[in-house]
Amino acid sequence: MNQPLPFGAGPTPGGADPAELMQQVARGDKQAFSALYDALAPLVHGIVLRVVRDRAQSEEVAQEVMIDLWRQAARYRPDAGSVTTWAATIAHRRAVDRVRSAQAAADREHIQAVREHQTAFDEVAEQVETRLEREQVRRCLHGLTELQRQAVNLAYYRGLTYREVAEALRTPLPTIKTRMRDGLIRLRDCMGVTA
């Protein structure tokens, strides 16, 4: 590779003016682009490397910049600055974009890892709490009379209505309602639930 041109430099090592080369590139001249590439690639790569600080990524970004120069050649305006200044500006912007993108990706990964860690902790805590509540309910159910336990089990664990519980136990409906009410009061007291 040739040595990079200093900012605002004139002709390329082959003798052609970068502004003239850019006009030829804008018309699709591949040889002009090759000469421009040889002149600007070291400068572009150096700028990108200083910002990105990773050789592999810098090479990738520098290639993207050179492709941009090919694609955007028609947008170049000599009155706005030299070709090298324009290329350097594009290179710097692309490099900064890459660094910001990499930082944003790292931030997203960190946030996701924190969320997953918290979720896992919350799931464990919730499972433990649910298990403890089940054990407490079982203990309290054993504190009921057999008749109360039967009625509560049929209504709450099998989903039967009071009438269906009465039919299943062949007991009058008012008696089932009384057993259920008394059983639920005992459960509430056993579990320490305040009304």
Side-chain angles (χ1 to χ4, degrees), residues 104-175:
D107 291 347
R108 281 191 303 274
E109 288 175 11
H110 176 74
I111 289 168
Q112 184 62 31
V114 168
R115 282 185 186 149
E116 287 173 2
H117 179 71
Q118 288 175 343
T119 300
F121 177 78
D122 291 344
E123 287 174 10
V124 169
E126 189 173 319
Q127 288 173 357
V128 168
E129 188 175 324
T130 301
R131 188 173 298 132
L132 290 174
E133 287 174 355
R134 278 192 213 132
E135 289 174 12
Q136 186 178 8
V137 168
R138 281 191 202 110
R139 265 194 327 272
C140 292
L141 277 171
H142 287 299
L144 301 180
T145 66
E146 183 60 31
L147 297 173
Q148 289 171 337
R149 191 170 35 255
Q150 283 177 337
V152 169
N153 277 331
L154 289 172
Y156 287 93
Y157 291 106
R158 294 201 183 155
L160 301 181
T161 64
Y162 282 13
R163 186 170 307 284
E164 291 170 334
V165 172
E167 290 171 6
L169 296 177
R170 296 186 183 137
T171 307
L173 183 59
T175 304

Side-chain angles (χ1 to χ4, degrees), residues 2-5 12-13 18 21 34-43 66 84:
N2 296 324
Q3 291 298 315
L5 293 171
T12 63
L21 285 175
S34 179
L36 191 67
Y37 187 98
D38 288 343
L40 296 179
L43 169 75
M66 297 309 295
T84 53

Side-chain angles (χ1 to χ4, degrees), residues 17 76 102 152:
D17 180 42
Y76 170 68
V152 169

